[in-house]
Amino acid sequence: QLHKNSYISMQPNTMVILSKQTSFFNGVPLIDLSKPDSKNLIVNACEEFGFFKVINHDVPMEFISKLESEAIKFFSSPLSEKLKAGPADPFGYGNKQIGTNGDFGWVEHILVSTNSEFNYQKFASILGVNPENIRAAVNDYVSAVKKMSCDILEMLAEGLNIHPTNVFSKLLMDENSDSVFRLNHYPPCSEIEGLNDNNNNNLIGFGEHTDPQIISILRSNNTSGLQILLKDGHWISVPPDEHSFFVNVGDSLQVMTNGRFKSVKHRVLANSVKSRLSMIYFGGPPLSEKIAPLPSLMEGEDSSLYKEFTWFEYKKSAYKTRLADNRLIHFEKIAAS
């Protein structure tokens, strides 16, 4: 039986404690990208969960291992060294602080832009860390994951009978695509152990949120922590799998499908024993791109649930919000009463 976790809203500089989720959810849709029926299964998964796992993805394991090894090297450095690669403005190294509006988590991260020239020299002064190795590892990994993202988006379009089938993927392929890549490291948190005698608590590593872009592709090591919110309001724990990728529907894809696909709310709990390392590619459109429901997915212009907006406008608006806020609410069309 899965029980709804208690939730305490996050205040700056305070630890957020949740009752621990003991059960893993075994109903996460599993998509084999090599199978011909995968496009329909992906559509079903996006409608039901906004989330699914993919296998037979063609991303070379050597790219994953190489990037993980570079990330571990960086995150194992002393904090005083890592801070030289910060602050995250928004790119670079960040520690505990998430965004600029008071959200904190048990996490440190590196955020880089995938399409503009990110200055990897920020990492040059950190002992034992070679910026060129990090750059090469990120570029190899991101190019493979971006290709997989585009394949998935084209399968989605095909499954929805949308033509041309590159209607979503072309936004990621555009040279001005505003896509970003993030490495999150959740150190073991010994403080969890002492929270109470029953050890029935957990600490928020990254608070609940949806991703604003079109699609997110997540890979993590074999440490648990990821949870998604089901339609019935229950938080469920996703079993870790270091060989597969997890795919999230983002806010922009929810809008483009006129709400048919739902952007999944998710969070990460810290672990008292093992560290968790995750790599996330956020596939975003160019800043000037207009985001609106696709005409072929509407019954008429009046059936649009959202006002048209540019990705720049949405990003600017999202930047002013807290993690758990519903960012799309400002762009919804209010139905006449």
Side-chain angles (χ1 to χ4, degrees), residues 71-86 93-95 108 122-123 125-129 185 187:
I72 289 169
K73 204 180 291 179
F74 174 83
F75 288 122
S76 301
S77 308
L79 180 60
S80 56
E81 291 285 301
K82 289 183 285 197
L83 288 171
K84 294 173 184 174
Y93 173 76
N95 183 40
E108 55 180 342
K122 273 189 170 191
F123 299 98
S125 57
I126 299 160
L127 209 60
V129 171
H185 176 239

Side-chain angles (χ1 to χ4, degrees), residues 138-197:
V138 169
N139 287 351
D140 285 348
Y141 178 87
V142 165
S143 62
V145 170
K146 177 180 176 180
K147 181 189 179 302
M148 175 178 64
S149 307
C150 291
D151 290 345
I152 289 170
L153 289 171
E154 285 174 18
M155 287 181 196
L156 267 179
E158 219 177 307
L160 290 169
N161 293 315
I162 298 170
H163 300 284
T165 52
N166 71 341
V167 65
F168 304 122
S169 63
K170 69 180 182 186
L171 303 177
L172 272 55
M173 295 305 293
D174 192 299
E175 61 179 20
N176 296 313
S177 154
D178 183 40
S179 298
V180 295
F181 177 68
R182 185 178 178 111
L183 286 162
N184 282 335
H185 176 239
Y186 303 88
C189 184
S190 55
E191 294 171 50
I192 298 170
E193 295 291 348
L195 290 173
N196 69 14
D197 296 337

